[in-house]
Structure formats: structure tokens, C-alpha cells
Amino acid sequence: MAVTIKTLRERKQNGEKFAMLTAYDATFARAISDAGIETMLIGDSLGNVLQGHDSTLPVTIDDMVYHTASVARGNQGAFVIADMPFMSYGTPENAMDNAARLMRAGAHMVKLEGTDWMADTIARLANRAVPVCAHLGLTPQFVNKFGGFRVQGRGDEQADQMVAHAKQLDEAGADLFVLECVPAPLAKRITEAVSAPVVGIGAGPDTDGQVLVMHDMLGISPGKPPRFVKNFLAENGSIQEAFEAYGAAVRERHFPADEHTFQS
Ligand code: KIV
Ligand code: NA
């Protein structure tokens, strides 16, 4: 049976974890969904892992539409989320137009990076039948504002502010959250504070779901992997088994472990 937004809400209510992986093409989308991974993200991380850029900023809406359509053709019942790339939701108006393109390409939801300023855009999209995932914490499109890629929400003031932003976007109509690289206690607070399910990456074990970049969890991304990544291909015989093992590890709460988690 196909996974929907309703499935994810029920999982949160029942305290059952779910998994997400990035997918960018039809073949991997088929393999990931066949493995029972509940949700797939066409991440703008494709700027890094497919295109070889050192940030996600060069990725265009045309790139995202192309890969979303490819993933949708391979998908076997997973819930499909497409990233809105840098500056494609700079105004509510261009957000409407660009979200429509991703939904027509086969996305079930779009994901935006940002904080309180996105509340109006999220409400407008939700009112026009576009479910929205709000991405908070280390939002890679902000790399030039942050001055690098680092854990966000450290310290009481920043943590309280992130909780307030999450609540505001939840009330505006966000149907899912991604929290990237935040201390585990803060991720737990946010997960409890919002009604929508929360998916973590580098956010500890207490979020409702977990997401990894596919290339990272297969151990084929160049360079030293970030702390929160686990290579699931290393201890499994095939790519298909690595996807299955990842899904099981998330559902059975074996991943993420302490070694993958930022405590503060
Ligand atoms: O682009 C991406 O892959 C993402 C995930 C890391 C959440 O946004
Ligand atoms: Na992204």
C-alpha cells in the first residue's frame, strides 16, 4: 500500500519510526521503495553528489523537475518529497509557480529551507493543495550566511528560537519537518512540540524519522563522512540489502547510535 502523509502522521502518533533516503533517478527510486523505505527525497544535495558542486546553490528548478520526474517513474509506493532549490521560493509568488512544477512532475510534497519568514509561503502553499516540509537547523542553502557547515541550535537562546520557529511553521501548516545537525536534546524538544512528524539527520534518535543521503549510506561519497553517517553497504552483501538494513535499523531504533549523535 502506498505511503501517504496520513501514514506518517499515524506513525508519529503511534511512536513508530520511519525512514527516508534521497533518490535522484528511477533505478534507485525503485530499489529504495522496493526495500520498504517509507519516504524518498529528491534532495538538492544532487548538486553535490550528482553534479560535483561544493554547495547546493547552483541547482536549478529545471534540474529538480527532471530528477523528480525520474524518481516518480521508478517509485513503488513510497512518499515522494522534492526540494525547492536556492531562490526558487524567494517570494510567495515564485514559490507557487515552482512548487506546481515539482508537484506536476510527481512530488507528493515540497521541502523549503528557512525559519519564521516562510510561514506565509507555507500557509499559501498548503491552502493551494501543496503539502510542505520545513527544513530547519543546518540548512545547506544558507552556507554563505552561516560561514560554513556546522551544528545549529547550540546554546539556550538559539535552541529556544528554533523551537519557536518550528511551532510557528507547524501552525502555518507545515506537514513535515527535517531537522539537520542539531543537538539531540533540541531535536527531541522540537519533535514533542510540533504536531507534524519530524525527520532528523544528525539530530539524534528521538525524531519520528531519519534521513540520509543515499551516496553517504552506501559509502561512495568522497572524503571523510560526517559524524552522523553510517555506511550500511560495508556490512551487507548488496545495495538492496543495505537499503533494507537501513530501514530496519531506523524502525528498530538501532540507528542513529550515540556515535552518530551530537549531544550538545
Ligand atoms: O538535499 C538533501 O539531501 C537534504 C537532506 C540531507 C535532508 O535536504
Ligand atoms: Na536539501
Side-chain angles (χ1 to χ4, degrees):
M1 229 178 56
V3 176
T4 67
I5 197 170
K6 200 160 157 282
T7 320
L8 304 181
R9 276 193 216 120
E10 286 167 1
R11 291 288 186 90
K12 179 176 182 120
Q13 278 153 19
N14 299 335
E16 294 164 359
K17 308 281 184 192
F18 60 90
M20 180 188 293
L21 281 176
T22 64
Y24 315 103
D25 69 22
T27 300
F28 281 116
R30 179 174 290 270
I32 289 167
S33 51
D34 274 345
I37 302 299
E38 289 87 348
T39 59
M40 287 191 290
L41 171 70
I42 302 99
D44 62 354
S45 53
L46 67 83
N48 302 83
V49 294
L50 300 190
Q51 298 175 336
H53 296 296
D54 61 5
S55 82
T56 57
L57 274 66
V59 177
T60 66
I61 186 71
D62 288 344
D63 294 336
M64 295 308 299
V65 168
Y66 172 89
H67 289 283
T68 299
S70 302
V71 166
R73 286 190 286 263
N75 180 30
Q76 306 294 307
F79 186 72
V80 173
I81 302 156
D83 263 345
M84 299 199 66
F86 175 64
M87 216 40 103
S88 69
Y89 50 102
T91 66
E93 288 70 28
N94 76 343
M96 301 303 117
D97 293 344
N98 289 321
R101 292 190 61 194
L102 295 170
M103 297 298 281
R104 288 199 185 99
H108 303 128
M109 174 181 267
V110 299
K111 177 161 78 62
L112 283 65
E113 296 182 7
T115 57
D116 49 348
W117 66 268
M118 291 196 316
D120 177 40
T121 304
I122 290 173
R124 291 204 212 187
L125 284 166
N127 286 333
R128 287 159 182 76
V130 180
V132 178
C133 175
H135 185 159
L136 295 172
L138 198 184
T139 42
Q141 291 171 19
F142 286 75
V143 58
N144 297 302
K145 281 290 286 178
F146 290 155
F149 297 100
R150 54 171 60 92
V151 175
Q152 299 294 310
R154 283 187 156 146
D156 288 345
E157 200 177 318
Q158 270 208 39
D160 290 348
Q161 190 178 51
M162 204 183 294
V163 174
H165 288 157
K167 281 188 181 167
Q168 198 179 338
L169 300 183
D170 194 51
E171 278 158 25
D175 280 306
L176 193 69
F177 285 87
V178 163
L179 283 184
E180 180 163 351
C181 290
V182 302
L186 172 57
K188 184 169 192 283
R189 261 179 84 189
I190 292 174
T191 303
E192 288 166 358
V194 297
S195 62
V198 177
V199 180
I201 174 165
D206 298 313
T207 52
D208 304 301
Q210 296 290 333
V211 56
L212 285 176
V213 170
M214 185 196 82
H215 294 61
D216 289 347
M217 60 79 76
L218 294 177
I220 56 172
S221 296
K224 185 175 175 286
R227 178 188 176 107
F228 54 81
V229 169
K230 177 173 173 177
N231 178 346
F232 283 88
L233 185 55
E235 52 190 53
N236 289 282
S238 69
I239 287 174
Q240 194 63 33
E241 283 168 313
F243 293 155
E244 285 165 17
Y246 165 70
V250 170
R251 272 174 238 113
E252 291 160 19
R253 301 166 189 252
H254 300 145
F255 177 81
D258 286 348
E259 72 211 72
H260 308 118
T261 300
F262 305 105
Q263 279 308 332
S264 60

